[in-house]
Amino acid sequence: MNKIISIGLLLFLFGNAALFAQAKKDDAVLKTKDTIKSDEYNPLTPAKAAFYSAILPGLGQAYNKKYWKIPIVYGAIGTSVYLYIDNKKLYNQYRDAYKSRLAGNPDPTYDYLSDQQLIKAQDVYKRNASLSALCALGFYVLNIIDANVDAALIQFNVNQNLSLRPEFNTDSVTFKSNMGLTLNYSF
């Protein structure tokens, strides 16, 4: 019986020898982990992603590894630029037709239009070209903002410790169903 106790005591002491060893000051056991700041957080990441998107649209999305957003960025900006070029071309055609009519050399392709219709067409295509340029600029800025916000949000720690779920309970007295929302946070 004494042999079993002495063997058990030896196993206990050797098994827990690491607990009695001296720890360094830099040892991870003595460090407290800050839950707000982690080693993965880099405050310059959003600025870098925005800078990349400002240099070349879609490059910030590639930096954030959101490759599926790149065709959307180029589709939106490319469509706006195409519409700007097309409307500007049509504006120049109607303007040149109107100027040649005033100079006494009417363009035969626009003979069916009156002077007022040529002026109205110029105004419409000039307005459409301006709106298309404004949309292209807006999509470019939206591309930069998206890269910045996505880089900032990707650093948040979202795991199963925080959950928000609807909950349906039956009241034990009236047997009516109660609906509610529970917020669970575990440490």
Side-chain angles (χ1 to χ4, degrees):
M1 181 85 153
N2 286 339
K3 284 185 173 181
I4 295 175
I5 293 175
S6 62
I7 291 173
L9 185 61
L10 279 173
L11 287 176
F12 177 75
L13 289 176
F14 285 123
N16 294 320
L19 294 176
F20 301 110
Q22 291 182 351
K24 297 179 193 175
K25 289 185 179 181
D26 294 338
D27 196 3
V29 176
L30 299 178
K31 282 186 180 177
T32 59
K33 176 106 175 168
D34 190 1
T35 57
I36 296 173
K37 283 188 175 180
S38 70
D39 296 335
E40 298 171 7
Y41 179 74
N42 184 1
L44 296 179
T45 301
K48 191 183 289 188
F51 177 73
Y52 288 159
S53 278
I55 296 293
L56 181 67
L59 194 58
Q61 283 74 13
Y63 176 75
N64 292 334
K65 295 180 178 64
K66 302 289 182 173
Y67 302 109
W68 63 272
K69 291 183 179 181
I70 296 172
I72 295 170
V73 168
Y74 279 107
I77 294 174
T79 302
S80 299
V81 169
Y82 170 77
L83 289 174
Y84 172 77
I85 292 169
D86 189 47
N87 285 315
K88 194 69 170 171
K89 182 181 76 170
L90 290 171
Y91 166 74
N92 288 334
Q93 287 177 356
Y94 282 105
R95 186 193 65 194
D96 292 342
Y98 181 68
K99 283 184 176 181
S100 65
R101 185 178 285 179
L102 290 179
N105 300 331
D107 191 358
T109 55
Y110 298 106
D111 280 342
Y112 66 94
L113 296 174
S114 67
D115 289 344
Q116 293 300 321
Q117 289 174 330
L118 285 175
I119 292 171
K120 181 69 175 170
Q122 287 179 55
D123 292 342
V124 166
Y125 287 117
K126 185 177 182 180
R127 180 178 176 272
N128 288 347
S130 299
L131 285 175
S132 298
L134 189 64
C135 285
L137 181 67
F139 285 130
Y140 175 73
V141 170
L142 193 61
N143 156 55
I144 296 169
I145 292 171
D146 174 62
N148 188 331
V149 169
D150 195 26
L153 290 179
I154 206 166
Q155 297 184 36
F156 282 97
N157 184 11
V158 180
N159 55 21
Q160 294 298 323
N161 291 338
L162 181 63
S163 64
L164 187 65
R165 295 187 185 112
E167 191 168 307
F168 302 100
N169 293 330
T170 305
D171 190 9
S172 60
V173 177
T174 61
F175 297 110
K176 292 184 179 178
S177 61
N178 296 327
M179 292 188 304
L181 197 61
T182 59
L183 175 66
N184 297 326
Y185 184 73
S186 60
F187 295 93

